[in-house]
Amino acid sequence: MTRNLCVLTVIAVVMVSCKSSYQVVNVERSRILVDARYDSHYDMEASRFLDTYRHVIDSITSPVVGHMARYMHVQRPESELSNLLADIMVWAAKDYGEHVDFGVYNMGGIRADLPAGAVTYGDVLDIAPFENKIAFATLSGADVLELFSEMASVGGEGVSHAVRMVITKDGKLVSAAINGQVVDPQRDYRIATIDYLLDGTDKMSAFHKAKDVNSPLSDENNSRFVIMNYFREMDRQGKLVDSQMEGRVVEQ
């Protein structure tokens, strides 16, 4: 008993020592696609257990919210899907009494691809599974250039149609323009984004300098609902949701 107590005491001391000596300085993530490759040994018992809940989940996730013109995925420095989501943030600004200069959507927050054809509630939930909400903020032109430099350092992020950036392969910002005009360090720019980024996350620390923040907190402002509203509106107009590669972020 005494020996066991001594061993536990030593372990506790080591754990306390470790806790005080180590800090998290970096976090890396990767995506693991869970698909049919893992179904080679189908588990009937597990399937029967899940059947109890499957119809409830399906009733929530299966309704169609709109239709895509093409399959879209996310990639750096620019992708059709990241372009689309940044544009949707700008599109939604009118519902909040906002007039914005450009939109930003982080690629790390886009957690799935979107299929061609019918898009369901579940599909949108897959690409935007977090509780991030649409938000608006103002940055000076100097801070916008800092923000774009931070985007360049990771190889690009989702930006709306108004933005044109040139970056280098080693992560440097070469040039930046908004609505065809070189970014003016002396003027202010209004931005549509998500509240998660306003905390300076995903290496976008320039957002710490944001002012005049409009960040509604109620659930209906969640980015997934904003995205679904866009899809439904396009469906009402008889339009397929589409997005193009436009040279918004070009790597040289």
Side-chain angles (χ1 to χ4, degrees):
M1 179 67 72
T2 302
R3 181 180 178 184
N4 290 341
L5 180 59
C6 290
V7 170
L8 289 173
T9 301
V10 171
I11 292 172
V13 170
V14 171
M15 290 177 68
V16 170
S17 175
C18 291
K19 183 177 180 181
S20 62
S21 301
Y22 293 92
Q23 293 181 343
V24 176
V25 296
N26 186 45
V27 176
E28 295 183 0
R29 60 175 177 259
S30 62
R31 298 180 183 179
I32 300 175
L33 179 64
V34 179
D35 58 17
R37 80 185 78 178
Y38 299 106
D39 289 340
S40 56
H41 301 290
Y42 193 72
D43 190 327
M44 291 299 298
E45 183 178 353
S47 179
R48 284 192 294 270
F49 173 80
L50 292 173
D51 280 342
T52 306
Y53 309 97
R54 186 175 288 117
H55 74 280
V56 176
I57 301 300
D58 288 348
S59 69
I60 297 171
T61 61
S62 61
V64 172
V65 296
H67 295 80
M68 292 282 289
R70 69 189 75 240
Y71 169 86
M72 293 186 191
H73 67 285
V74 63
Q75 65 180 16
R76 287 185 163 96
E78 178 186 1
S79 67
E80 294 165 339
L81 183 52
S82 56
N83 285 355
L84 172 64
L85 297 182
D87 284 344
I88 290 175
M89 297 299 104
V90 173
W91 169 84
K94 65 185 184 308
D95 297 330
Y96 298 86
E98 293 279 356
H99 179 76
V100 301
D101 295 291
F102 66 98
V104 173
Y105 203 101
N106 60 317
M107 292 196 182
I110 305 171
R111 307 315 291 253
D113 301 340
L114 274 180
V119 173
T120 66
Y121 182 110
D123 292 326
V124 177
L125 183 61
D126 286 343
I127 66 167
F130 308 111
E131 297 306 306
N132 303 324
K133 295 172 177 59
I134 192 169
F136 306 90
T138 297
L139 288 178
S140 70
D143 294 335
V144 168
L145 289 173
E146 179 182 341
L147 177 67
F148 287 169
S149 292
E150 291 168 344
M151 292 180 182
S153 73
V154 297
E157 294 285 5
V159 291
S160 66
H161 173 73
V163 178
R164 294 294 183 272
M165 297 168 53
V166 178
I167 66 176
T168 64
K169 293 184 183 298
D170 61 349
K172 301 294 190 297
L173 179 66
V174 176
S175 64
I178 298 172
N179 290 316
Q181 301 293 319
V182 174
V183 175
D184 180 354
Q186 302 305 314
R187 65 156 288 191
D188 286 343
Y189 293 87
R190 193 69 171 161
I191 305 164
T193 186
I194 54 176
D195 56 358
Y196 170 76
L197 296 181
L198 293 184
D199 290 331
T201 49
D202 275 17
K203 299 186 178 180
M204 298 190 209
S205 61
F207 273 126
H208 281 309
K209 302 176 184 179
K211 53 190 178 183
D212 300 327
V213 172
N214 176 10
S215 182
L217 299 178
S218 52
D219 289 344
E220 66 267 20
N221 301 297
N222 190 294
S223 60
R224 76 174 70 99
F225 297 132
V226 173
I227 294 165
M228 281 188 259
N229 288 342
Y230 177 82
F231 273 84
R232 290 181 178 120
E233 177 59 27
M234 294 302 102
D235 236 27
R236 279 193 289 269
Q237 296 180 23
K239 296 179 181 179
L240 295 176
V241 173
D242 202 0
S243 182
Q244 306 292 333
M245 297 283 284
E246 299 180 335
R248 300 181 188 187
V249 184
V250 175
E251 190 178 78
Q252 67 173 24

